[in-house]
């Protein structure tokens, strides 16, 4: 029985690792129709599901600095009819130049239209939509110049002293600079049965 449980735990761990890799590095993970998972270099003929959205290739653009991404955020917020000064930065100024963000409390009724307006302005500014696991109404992610920018509105409660009212939500833009192309991945093939 112990050998069986060991195999079950190993299979679960392998599934978890592959699932996390597929979320974090979607361009580096391919799954065949027969259940084989390929990590690293792309397979010669990957199978493509007709129903899955295909992300647009990112146009070649120069790397952006944190200050440039901050200006992109301010411009998109203004385009949505909001005042950037009414919100607050989610990443303090300092040595961490790989992340930035902005957040504000809005009425839930207005949040969906603000997310759409911010998204439209980001696309106008040349950001490419990354449709993987997005919700058209409350969450969108974009990429450009080595940065990933997530726009989302969630009715979650923050710290008890800053609890949101029933009709309020947080509108947040989070920017992360990730250069995953520099991370070497070994070529691994796992067969899932």
């Amino acid at each position: 029985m112990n050998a069986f449980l060991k195999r079950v735990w190993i299979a679960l761990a392998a599934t978890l690792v592959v699932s996390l890799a597929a979320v974090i590095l979607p361009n580096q993970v391919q799954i065949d129709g027969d259940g084989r998972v390929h990590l690293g270099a792309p397979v010669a003929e990957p199978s493509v599901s007709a129903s899955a959205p295909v992300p647009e290739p990112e146009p070649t653009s120069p790397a952006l600095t944190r200050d440039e991404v901050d200006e992109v955020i301010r411009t998109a917020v203004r385009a949505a009819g909001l005042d950037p000064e009414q919100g607050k930065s989610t990443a303090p100024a300092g040595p961490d130049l790989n992340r930035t963000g902005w957040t504000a409390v809005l009425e839930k009724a207005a949040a969906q239209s603000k997310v759409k307006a911010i998204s439209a302005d980001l696309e106008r500014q040349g950001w490419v939509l990354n449709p993987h696991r997005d919700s058209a109404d409350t969450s969108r992610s974009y990429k450009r110049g080595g940065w990933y920018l997530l726009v989302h509105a969630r009715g979650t409660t923050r710290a008890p002293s800053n609890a949101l009212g029933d009709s309020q939500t947080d509108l947040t833009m989070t920017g992360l600079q990730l250069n995953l192309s520099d991370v070497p991945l070994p070529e691994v093939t796992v067969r899932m049965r």
Side-chain angles (χ1 to χ4, degrees):
M1 185 72 173
N2 286 339
F4 174 73
L5 287 176
K6 184 177 180 181
R7 280 186 271 158
V8 168
W9 282 110
I10 290 172
L12 288 173
T15 303
L16 177 64
V17 168
V18 169
S19 298
L20 287 173
V23 170
I24 295 171
L25 303 167
N27 295 335
Q28 297 287 330
V29 177
Q30 296 84 34
I31 301 174
D32 292 8
D34 64 353
R36 290 182 185 210
V37 178
H38 302 278
L39 302 175
V43 179
E45 293 183 29
S47 63
V48 177
S49 170
S51 64
V54 178
E56 296 178 29
E58 182 179 1
T60 305
S61 62
L64 297 173
T65 65
R66 177 180 167 174
D67 290 340
E68 290 171 326
V69 175
D70 284 338
E71 185 56 35
V72 164
I73 290 172
R74 284 190 295 273
T75 301
V77 167
R78 277 190 211 98
L82 299 170
D83 180 3
E85 300 304 318
Q86 296 299 319
K88 65 178 183 176
S89 174
T90 60
D96 189 0
L97 299 176
N98 296 330
R99 67 184 181 100
T100 188
W102 179 87
T103 188
V105 175
L106 296 178
E107 292 299 313
K108 285 182 182 177
Q112 181 179 352
S113 66
K114 299 303 181 186
V115 167
K116 287 181 179 180
I118 287 172
S119 297
D121 192 69
L122 289 174
E123 290 174 18
R124 181 195 61 77
Q125 292 185 57
W127 288 73
V128 176
L129 179 65
N130 183 17
H132 185 64
R133 297 189 187 265
D134 282 351
S135 162
D137 297 336
T138 60
S139 176
R140 293 238 168 134
S141 61
Y142 292 88
K143 57 186 176 178
R144 180 175 168 223
W147 283 81
Y148 291 82
L149 194 55
L150 175 65
V151 181
H152 61 97
R154 298 276 188 247
T156 56
T157 302
R158 296 175 288 175
S161 61
N162 295 327
L164 297 173
D166 289 339
S167 65
Q168 295 178 319
T169 187
D170 279 323
L171 174 65
T172 304
M173 296 179 72
T174 305
L176 295 171
Q177 183 180 33
L178 300 172
N179 190 357
L180 300 176
S181 62
D182 289 344
V183 178
L185 287 177
E187 192 171 333
V188 178
T189 300
V190 179
R191 185 176 180 109
M192 306 295 282
R193 293 181 186 200

